Amino acid sequence: MEHGVFPGESVTAPDVPDEVIDRYRELSADIASGVGVVSTRLRGRDYAATVSGFLSVSYDPPTLLVSLYAEARIAEAVLDAGSWVLSLLPARLRGTANWLASPGSPLEGLLNQVDYGRAPETGAAVIEDSIAWFEVRTTQVMTAATHQLIVGEVVSMGRRADADDESDPLLHFASAYARLGR
Amino acid sequence: MEHGVFPGESVTAPDVPDEVIDRYRELSADIASGVGVVSTRLRGRDYAATVSGFLSVSYDPPTLLVSLYAEARIAEAVLDAGSWVLSLLPARLRGTANWLASPGSPLEGLLNQVDYGRAPETGAAVIEDSIAWFEVRTTQVMTAATHQLIVGEVVSMGRRADADDESDPLLHFASAYARLGR
């Protein structure tokens, strides 16, 4: 049933005004998502960062996408390494999500306080108790505005959670962490 | 704290075996997401489909990505039109999500039972009571495995929900619809 044209706030200027960006920040915060950690290993060093911009692209072949801020250390490391791991965090690992989301997190000892194992093919960190994890080799990269969209094929995968944890993912919505209703 | 190499299920064959695809379907179902409707208007006809594969790419300029199965009618229509709307569904519009997710939904009368308005720039359908909506012009397209990754700049946006609905998005997790915990 049609109700006419909705009053939207239009973006008309080629340079986007601050108030439009602020409004977009506010509205796009309502895109609910799971929370994961993207990690990679490069020249013997571990890189890891909390992400909420990722999705499953395809089942055949199993293909994932992660969106990373192009100037972030993790983006550079993932692109250099050519491979990465996505660990899906359970609700109880909110502390890990906070730690690895901090732009000021140290390069040395980043994972000292985080329980993790190693992915079989590349040795990148897999967060212990992830509800699922995927080890991925990058196949395509696209620069879009401020971000790199990194697509890859899954080369190994698994689950680290007990059956009970499985159904309780950490979520992100309205600029805060959240969990599923029961 | 490192705990050694995790036993993963490796993917080694160039043609992915069915059991690997099945396992990926199972594990990737644990990627929690919001639920939206992508719509477009092409030669006077409305196209709309429920999606869970979308994300915000960038704030400046405001940029969104949606992943659509390449052979779906909606993918063809969105690419032809060069513009689309993403409406974020509130939890109570689960019925709309189910209706527009059906591959057998009719082309004629698709929106007869759905409340909607029109986006100001392109006239594509905006689902009434969306917690937020974005009207987008496509700027980049990348084919990845079975899907088209469609990226675009937001040209208008708004909210259709009452304040109370705002914080209750429809979610998708473990192959089912869900809602936030309180």
Side-chain angles (χ1 to χ4, degrees):
Chain A
M1 190 175 19
E2 187 174 337
H3 295 271
V5 174
F6 283 175
E9 295 125 71
S10 290
V11 179
T12 46
D15 280 321
V16 185
D18 285 351
E19 56 268 30
V20 170
I21 293 174
D22 290 347
R23 181 63 167 157
Y24 179 72
R25 275 180 195 271
E26 184 192 337
L27 292 175
S28 66
D30 282 351
I31 298 180
S33 67
V35 178
V37 168
V38 164
S39 58
T40 195
R41 194 164 166 81
L42 183 65
R43 295 185 278 277
R45 183 164 270 184
D46 285 303
Y47 298 80
T50 304
V51 289
S52 59
F54 55 89
L55 52 85
S56 173
V57 171
S58 166
Y59 294 133
D60 186 6
T63 303
L64 286 165
L65 175 150
V66 64
S67 171
L68 296 174
Y69 181 56
E71 292 179 27
R73 197 162 64 197
I74 186 69
E76 207 175 320
V78 163
L79 291 175
D80 275 12
S83 60
W84 40 288
V85 163
L86 175 68
S87 300
L88 302 179
L89 295 185
R92 67 181 188 74
L93 287 187
R94 187 184 291 230
T96 301
N98 273 323
W99 168 244
L100 295 175
S102 165
S105 58
L107 192 48
E108 286 298 337
L110 180 67
L111 296 179
N112 283 359
Q113 306 302 317
V114 175
D115 283 339
Y116 67 98
R118 298 253 169 234
E121 307 281 334
T122 67
V126 175
I127 305 300
E128 183 78 56
D129 294 335
S130 296
I131 59 176
W133 61 269
F134 307 92
E135 188 178 21
V136 181
R137 287 204 193 274
T138 302
T139 54
Q140 287 166 279
V141 179
M142 180 163 76
T143 303
T146 54
H147 280 60
Q148 300 279 5
L149 304 174
I150 302 166
V151 175
E153 281 188 34
V154 173
V155 295
S156 78
M157 57 190 150
R159 228 190 249 297
R160 292 301 302 164
D162 297 332
D164 284 353
D165 281 344
E166 257 180 47
S167 49
D168 197 8
L170 184 60
L171 303 176
H172 194 260
F173 177 73
S175 308
Y177 293 120
R179 58 201 301 171
L180 279 184
R182 288 288 138 201
Chain B
M1 191 172 24
E2 188 174 338
H3 295 271
V5 174
F6 283 174
E9 296 125 70
S10 291
V11 179
T12 47
D15 281 323
V16 185
D18 285 351
E19 56 269 30
V20 170
I21 292 174
D22 290 347
R23 180 64 168 157
Y24 179 74
R25 274 181 194 272
E26 184 192 337
L27 291 175
S28 66
D30 282 352
I31 298 180
S33 67
V35 178
V37 168
V38 165
S39 57
T40 195
R41 194 165 167 81
L42 183 65
R43 294 186 279 278
R45 183 164 271 184
D46 285 303
Y47 298 79
T50 304
V51 289
S52 58
F54 55 87
L55 51 86
S56 174
V57 172
S58 166
Y59 294 133
D60 187 6
T63 302
L64 285 165
L65 175 150
V66 65
S67 171
L68 297 174
Y69 181 57
E71 292 178 28
R73 197 163 63 198
I74 185 70
E76 207 175 321
V78 163
L79 291 175
D80 275 11
S83 61
W84 40 288
V85 163
L86 174 68
S87 301
L88 302 179
L89 295 184
R92 68 180 188 73
L93 287 186
R94 187 184 291 231
T96 301
N98 273 324
W99 169 245
L100 295 175
S102 165
S105 58
L107 192 48
E108 285 298 336
L110 178 67
L111 297 179
N112 282 0
Q113 307 302 316
V114 175
D115 283 338
Y116 67 96
R118 297 255 169 231
E121 307 281 334
T122 67
V126 174
I127 305 299
E128 182 79 54
D129 294 335
S130 296
I131 59 177
W133 61 269
F134 307 92
E135 187 178 22
V136 181
R137 287 205 192 273
T138 301
T139 53
Q140 288 167 279
V141 179
M142 180 163 75
T143 304
T146 54
H147 279 61
Q148 300 279 4
L149 304 175
I150 301 166
V151 175
E153 280 189 33
V154 173
V155 295
S156 77
M157 57 189 151
R159 229 191 247 297
R160 291 303 301 165
D162 297 332
D164 284 352
D165 281 345
E166 257 180 45
S167 48
D168 198 7
L170 184 60
L171 303 176
H172 194 259
F173 177 72
S175 309
Y177 293 119
R179 59 199 301 171
L180 279 184
R182 285 291 138 200

